[in-house]
Amino acid sequence: MDNFKVIYRILRYLEEAMDYEYPDMKFIAPETLRITRQRWSAIMAMLDHKQFVDGLTVKYSTGGAVAVFGQAPRITLRGLEYLEMLGGKENA
């Protein structure tokens, strides 16, 4: 799946999950998105780095591997602005 479609689906779900006490991670799990755990971790690390989501802890190993921790990521204002910039298109 295209990386930008994956990013859109993650952010769109997290926007929807603002109505829930906790997001249900199964909706944005690597298996659901049909991507590898490594790609998922890299994308989540990018979203955290760009401040599109918060509630995550990202660790980088000396070899370059990425580990993402956190059970309840939330979309940030910046993430909402990114979705708005896309015009709310249903890309996924």
Side-chain angles (χ1 to χ4, degrees), residues 6 9-10 13 24-37 40-41 44:
V6 170
R9 286 182 63 185
I10 291 169
Y13 173 72
D24 188 342
M25 295 299 287
K26 75 178 179 189
F27 290 107
I28 57 171
E31 301 78 21
T32 304
L33 298 170
R34 296 184 176 170
I35 59 175
T36 64
R37 168 77 49 191
W40 184 89
S41 293
M44 294 304 283

Side-chain angles (χ1 to χ4, degrees), residues 7 10-11 14 42-56 58 60 73-83:
I7 289 168
I10 291 169
L11 291 176
L14 292 176
I43 288 172
M44 294 304 283
M46 285 186 268
L47 291 173
D48 179 75
H49 179 75
K50 293 301 260 180
Q51 300 175 341
F52 286 2
V53 299
D54 65 6
L56 298 175
V58 179
Y60 297 91
R74 294 292 187 182
I75 193 167
T76 63
L77 179 58
R78 183 174 265 181
L80 290 171
E81 289 170 341
Y82 180 78
L83 286 178

